Amino acid sequence: MRTLNLGILAHVDAGKTTLTERLLLTAGAIDEAGSVDAGTSHTDTLALEQRRGITIRSAVAAFRVDDVAVNLIDTPGHSDFIAEVERALTVLDGAVLVLSAVEGVQPQTRILLHTLQRLRVPTVLLVNKIDRSGADPDRAVRQVEESLTPAVVPLTAARHPGGPGAGVERYADPHPPLVPSRARLLDVLTRADDGLLADWVEDAGSVDDRRLRHELGVQTRRGLVHPLFVGSARTGEGVGDLVAGLVDLLPGSDGEAAPDRPAGETGLSAAVFKIERGDAGEKVAHVRVFAGELRVRTRLQLPAGPAKVTGLQVLRPGGDQPTESVGPGDIARVRGLSTARVGDVLGTPLPGREHGHRFPPPSLEAVVVPCRPGDRAALHTALTELAEQDPLISVRLPEGRRGGDLHVSLYGEVQREVLAATLAEEYGPGSLPPAFFTAVEEGARRTLRRGPNGWVVPDARVVVTHSGYWARQSHSHGTFDASMSSTAGDFRGLTRRLLVRLMARAGTRVEEPVHRF
């Protein structure tokens, strides 16, 4: 089984998340494509993302094509969240750069492709939205050639663009014979391969289509050439050709040690590219394994201190699956790494894998002031936790000003608004953490499905009137201790007991179903 860790990158509103939904649907990983506008996409799960209709945090989904397992990483398109894109670049085997057939090449498109080229991340281009009014795929392709790179090979072409009847044709199809194709392939491929050029000059007949296809794959995997597809993520037109191209042209891991690792060395090499919080507030690290094996109970020495893996979930189609170990190519959710931060390397860094900054750091700074002075310590704790998820926030106090205002680094106004909303919704003083609300809802639904007599209780409305909880606590100089703190499991069990008591008080009884009268 080959694993392909694939990033979806784009300028904002180019259709990146819609493409993610369409890829999952085409591969059979979901039954119905979600909508960004409706807030139902499978990767934009944050309430803020659903309200604003933009991707704020990178999300990972999985699907399978034949014998290739694809881990799909959907990244933000807005420039304020470029740090999320930067972290995703550390774990990619390849990327799809999406641009709109209406707007063409945009500022963020240039920044992303130049960065992908510098890092030699194999990249395929998709000209999306060929069915939209004003779409001009040919113009978009010319913009790519003129302002991004001449090393682009169109493999599909749009038919009747700019309306709902837009379709896609392959250049390889014999009817009708489309141009470029072979001539374009030769022109692009011979620029980076003198041997191919010499063979063509000496004997054109020796360079057949099979060899050109092979050379296209070789140069694509080396990041020298960029195959280009056209299509519509909204309708699915052309997406099947894109999927076939991704599997055929991009590299991946076959589950063995990475080819650039010294012979005989099988030690662990992995990277943390995302941090989130679990239901009980515990830290969960998203880790990509490049070489070796990561197992439950493995002890690691991280930059901020030692840690021990207490749980592993590997990404698979249909959801995360608990496992005892993960290997090369796998993306896993790792528990127990309480000292982990985004960018940490587990084990030995792989040669040729950069882990430094690829984009300019934030150039703006904002002052964060609590509405109530007494909340300053809680505000500092909340910002520190958010900085673990996004290190470039860089929470700091001005030198020589103890007890002064808190300062954070930002890329722009949208990021500032999102940070403020996150502090209010997830860390608001006196409010219940979102994970606990989720646990209450799960406990209520589960209890109502069984009811006091084993039958479902229909048409029930549950209202939470008041609540409270013990915040995260620990022994002195110790780590988080669930026995001293409230957890999501506590609220799930408490909800069940309260509902059972309330239904008994209400006099709930089982009635024979009436179909009509």
Side-chain angles (χ1 to χ4, degrees):
M1 174 68 69
R2 183 163 65 97
T3 302
L4 171 61
N5 290 292
L6 180 69
I8 308 292
L9 294 81
H11 187 98
V12 65
D13 289 335
K16 168 184 48 59
T17 300
T18 304
L19 175 62
T20 298
E21 294 291 315
R22 180 60 60 176
L23 289 172
L24 294 173
L25 180 65
T26 301
I30 57 177
D31 296 326
E32 183 179 358
S35 167
V36 177
D37 295 334
T40 57
S41 61
H42 292 76
T43 52
D44 287 346
T45 56
L46 296 178
L48 274 171
E49 293 177 316
Q50 294 167 357
R51 288 203 305 269
R52 287 178 170 266
I54 61 173
T55 301
I56 296 172
R57 293 281 181 260
S58 295
V60 188
F63 63 89
R64 184 168 295 172
V65 180
D66 298 329
D67 63 342
V68 179
V70 181
N71 294 327
L72 194 63
I73 303 175
D74 181 23
T75 63
H78 199 287
S79 58
D80 279 14
F81 306 106
I82 194 68
E84 285 288 317
V85 180
E86 178 174 276
R87 291 188 278 276
L89 292 177
T90 64
V91 303
L92 299 183
D93 297 315
V96 179
L97 181 60
V98 185
L99 59 153
S100 168
V102 180
E103 288 81 10
V105 174
Q106 296 173 279
Q108 192 79 343
T109 317
R110 294 185 177 91
I111 293 172
L112 292 171
L113 184 60
H114 291 161
T115 304
L116 290 165
Q117 289 176 322
R118 180 166 57 84
L119 297 174
R120 290 292 178 90
V121 176
T123 303
V124 169
L125 304 179
L126 172 69
V127 177
N128 189 28
K129 299 187 178 182
I130 63 170
D131 59 320
R132 295 295 176 88
S133 176
D136 190 343
D138 292 339
R139 181 189 63 202
V141 173
R142 288 195 301 271
Q143 289 181 355
V144 170
E145 296 169 342
E146 294 169 0
S147 62
L148 292 184
T149 174
V152 58
V153 180
L155 296 182
T156 59
R159 182 179 64 249
H160 310 306
V168 170
E169 293 177 339
R170 302 183 185 91
Y171 281 121
D173 288 344
H175 304 292
L178 298 173
V179 180
S181 166
R182 182 177 174 83
R184 180 56 185 265
L185 272 174
L186 278 166
D187 178 48
V188 174
L189 296 178
T190 53
R191 298 179 191 182
D193 190 332
D194 291 341
L196 180 65
L197 177 59
D199 290 345
W200 168 253
V201 172
E202 293 175 6
D203 181 8
S206 66
V207 183
D208 57 14
D209 291 345
R210 179 177 297 181
R211 181 175 177 184
L212 286 178
R213 185 70 177 181
H214 172 74
E215 289 294 334
L216 175 61
V218 170
Q219 293 194 27
T220 300
R221 287 187 282 273
R222 293 174 59 193
L224 301 175
V225 171
H226 306 292
L228 183 144
F229 297 84
V230 301
S232 169
R234 187 175 66 89
T235 66
E237 192 69 31
V239 174
D241 295 316
L242 173 66
V243 171
L246 296 175
V247 172
D248 186 37
L249 298 171
L250 295 182
S253 171
D254 58 4
E256 300 179 358
D260 50 358
R261 197 166 186 81
E265 187 178 345
T266 59
L268 174 67
S269 181
V272 178
F273 69 96
K274 181 178 179 179
I275 295 288
E276 63 182 13
R277 294 283 171 177
D279 289 343
E282 76 280 15
K283 186 181 292 186
V284 181
H286 289 239
V287 172
R288 156 76 196 267
V289 180
F290 297 103
E293 188 179 48
L294 182 64
R295 301 185 63 86
V296 176
R297 294 178 291 278
T298 297
R299 295 184 180 275
L300 299 166
Q301 183 60 45
L302 302 179
K308 179 182 177 181
V309 177
T310 59
L312 284 173
Q313 290 178 301
V314 66
L315 185 67
R316 290 289 184 266
D320 297 335
Q321 296 179 3
T323 183
E324 288 295 312
S325 66
V326 290
D330 283 336
I331 288 180
R333 300 175 79 241
V334 185
R335 298 178 185 273
L337 305 186
S338 58
T339 63
R341 292 179 66 88
V342 170
D344 282 354
V345 174
L346 311 184
T348 306
L350 271 181
R353 284 278 178 175
E354 295 184 30
H355 293 281
H357 292 314
R358 298 159 181 82
F359 299 106
S363 57
L364 304 178
E365 191 169 75
V367 177
V368 187
V369 181
C371 296
R372 295 184 292 271
D375 291 337
R376 186 180 181 282
L379 179 62
H380 185 270
T381 300
L383 285 171
T384 301
E385 286 191 5
L386 290 176
E388 291 177 345
Q389 303 173 33
D390 185 354
L392 294 183
I393 288 178
S394 183
V395 182
R396 71 176 186 86
L397 289 168
E399 292 186 16
R401 291 181 58 186
R402 291 191 177 185
D405 295 332
L406 297 166
H407 289 232
V408 294
S409 300
L410 299 172
Y411 277 101
E413 181 66 16
V414 174
Q415 187 185 16
R416 185 195 67 81
E417 293 174 0
V418 167
L419 180 62
T422 302
L423 287 171
E425 294 181 11
E426 297 187 17
Y427 297 93
S431 68
L432 204 63
F436 293 173
F437 275 116
T438 302
V440 169
E441 182 178 358
E442 291 174 352
R445 291 185 183 279
R446 190 176 303 171
T447 304
L448 292 173
R449 279 198 298 268
R450 290 195 299 263
N453 301 300
W455 293 88
V456 65
V457 179
D459 307 322
R461 182 166 179 257
V462 179
V463 179
V464 179
T465 57
H466 60 277
S467 183
Y469 71 101
W470 289 101
R472 290 170 54 83
Q473 299 181 59
S474 66
H475 298 284
S476 179
H477 305 295
T479 57
F480 166 67
D481 187 347
S483 67
M484 301 171 62
S485 315
S486 296
T487 66
D490 298 332
F491 278 84
R492 197 175 289 111
L494 179 61
T495 300
R496 180 183 60 80
R497 290 193 290 272
L498 283 174
L499 274 181
V500 168
R501 187 183 306 171
L502 290 170
M503 286 188 290
R505 185 185 302 172
T508 310
R509 61 186 182 184
V510 179
E511 298 284 2
E512 183 176 348
V514 176
H515 294 284
R516 64 177 179 271
F517 64 92

